[in-house]
Amino acid sequence: MSDKMFTQSLADTSLQLPAAFKPLAEQIYVQRLTTAPGVEICAMELRHPRPRGTLVFSNGRVESFVKYLELFAELHAKGYSLYALDHRGQGLSSRLTANPHQGHVARFDDYIEDFKIFMDKLVLPRVEGPLLLSGHSMGGCIGSLYLERHGGQFLAAAFSAPMYGIRLPMSKVFIRWLAHKLDSSDKGQPNYILGGGDYEATPFAKNDLTHCRERYDDYRALYQANPQLQLGSPTNRWLLEALDACDASVLAARESKIPLLILQADEDSIVDNEAQKRAVGGRCQLVNIANAKHELFMENDVPRAQTLDAMLAFFEPHLSQAVA
């Protein structure tokens, strides 16, 4: 049982979850937390009775922690307690625009400040064992910038396909100029990037996320059954903020005060692998995963297992050192 901080199990929410994950959902507890006027983030806890460590997970753009139930089940079986949040403007957290499909943020720092409140209010008072950080894509960018300011809280971090740069169709200078010119958020009406729109389920044959048909279909089925999870394209303001955050996160990772592992998807067409390579140095290292698109934790079994094994092997000495 969870105490009064987390009182509702994921199984008791209105979410329609796959039957296979309902026993796990009964062990996951959710909590809503106000981080700013009109902004609530939704967080989750999955406690282990005898944890080897506690892992905090920061998800990517358009995502919810509900997408990662398969991963969380595996990590829980390995002896981890887990905490995760849905970033503002997506998942089960507050949406920020009149159109709930717009992926928007006024300042990228809002994500980091939300993460700080989440850590201070929900995680740190309840943490058991060594504290580790993981995340995917935008969550890796947020995590890296958080570590730059509050790195002493964690022993180590490992990020899947971190968003240290975005694959763009034209030069970053031009894209930044165009987004700035088109951005209408200062008028109170954030607008999509050029060509952007509401959520659409891309057919598997045209997807840039994974080679795994089964996991891709499960992901789309989850979002079809739970429309409140759906998110469309980013706004121009999000893009402007994200471009600056990417540049800052490369430096933050390269100068990380704790060991940091980049898990790079060799066939990534979403984020910039060259930016990830520029982040390597000091305590930051990189492992390239072959035959993998952007979603390493949704990939076919072989590259997915390589990703998970690399992350757990990276964390292992830090767990052992903490116990010693």
Side-chain angles (χ1 to χ4, degrees), residues 11-25:
D12 291 334
T13 67
S14 62
L15 288 169
Q16 303 299 308
L17 301 174
F21 290 118
K22 287 187 177 177
L24 179 70

Side-chain angles (χ1 to χ4, degrees), residues 178-199:
L178 182 63
H180 179 75
K181 187 174 182 63
L182 296 177
D183 179 28
S184 62
S185 56
D186 287 342
K187 301 175 183 177
Q189 297 178 328
N191 56 343
Y192 281 127
I193 59 171
L194 188 65
D198 292 354
Y199 173 86

Side-chain angles (χ1 to χ4, degrees), residues 215-240:
R215 290 190 174 98
Y216 185 79
D217 287 348
D218 287 347
Y219 159 53
R220 291 304 184 188
L222 177 69
Y223 275 49
Q224 181 66 31
N226 300 280
Q228 67 270 40
L229 299 179
Q230 295 175 5
L231 195 71
S233 305
T235 64
N236 284 293
R237 177 56 59 89
W238 182 92
L239 180 57
L240 288 167

Side-chain angles (χ1 to χ4, degrees), residues 24-263:
L24 179 70
E26 292 174 354
Q27 301 177 63
I28 294 174
Y29 285 79
V30 294
Q31 177 75 37
R32 299 192 71 83
L33 178 68
T34 299
T35 59
V39 178
E40 284 188 337
I41 61 167
C42 186
M44 60 142 276
E45 171 192 66
L46 175 58
R47 299 184 83 168
H48 194 283
R50 296 175 300 279
R52 300 186 65 231
T54 295
L55 182 65
V56 177
F57 192 87
S58 173
N59 58 38
R61 200 191 82 79
V62 316
E63 294 185 336
S64 169
F65 56 73
V66 183
K67 176 185 169 186
Y68 287 97
L69 295 184
E70 180 185 15
L71 175 65
F72 293 162
E74 292 167 307
L75 293 170
H76 190 250
K78 296 287 187 182
Y80 287 93
S81 289
L82 292 129
Y83 291 86
L85 78 162
D86 285 355
H87 301 297
R88 64 167 63 195
Q90 63 184 56
L92 299 173
S93 294
S94 296
R95 301 300 169 101
L96 305 176
T97 60
N99 179 355
H101 285 258
Q102 289 183 324
H104 180 69
V105 75
R107 303 180 310 133
F108 208 88
D109 272 359
D110 289 342
Y111 292 135
I112 296 144
E113 291 166 11
D114 287 347
F115 204 89
K116 176 71 162 57
I117 296 171
F118 158 72
M119 290 295 300
D120 289 347
K121 298 291 187 182
L122 299 183
V123 179
L124 294 177
R126 304 163 63 76
V127 67
E128 297 179 90
L131 186 59
L132 303 162
L133 179 61
S134 185
H136 173 68
S137 195
M138 183 183 81
C141 179
I142 294 169
S144 297
L145 294 173
Y146 181 84
L147 290 174
E148 184 178 41
R149 304 175 195 183
H150 311 286
Q153 296 174 347
F154 293 93
L155 284 180
F159 298 126
S160 155
M163 189 186 78
Y164 292 164
I166 301 171
R167 292 283 297 272
L168 300 168
M170 302 176 210
S171 76
K172 185 162 62 174
V173 171
F174 177 77
I175 293 292
R176 192 191 302 273
W177 172 84
L178 182 63
H180 179 75
K181 187 174 182 63
L182 296 177
D183 179 28
S184 62
S185 56
D186 287 342
K187 301 175 183 177
Q189 297 178 328
N191 56 343
Y192 281 127
I193 59 171
L194 188 65
D198 292 354
Y199 173 86
E200 290 185 6
T202 303
F204 175 75
K206 296 182 178 180
N207 97 89
D208 295 321
L209 302 179
T210 177
H211 293 290
C212 182
R213 179 65 179 258
E214 181 179 0
R215 290 190 174 98
Y216 185 79
D217 287 348
D218 287 347
Y219 159 53
R220 291 304 184 188
L222 177 69
Y223 275 49
Q224 181 66 31
N226 300 280
Q228 67 270 40
L229 299 179
Q230 295 175 5
L231 195 71
S233 305
T235 64
N236 284 293
R237 177 56 59 89
W238 182 92
L239 180 57
L240 288 167
E241 291 291 315
L243 290 173
D244 289 342
C246 288
D247 292 343
S249 66
V250 170
L251 182 61
R254 191 166 61 238
E255 297 184 352
S256 176
K257 297 179 179 64
I258 65 169
L260 191 156
L261 176 64
I262 297 169
L263 296 157

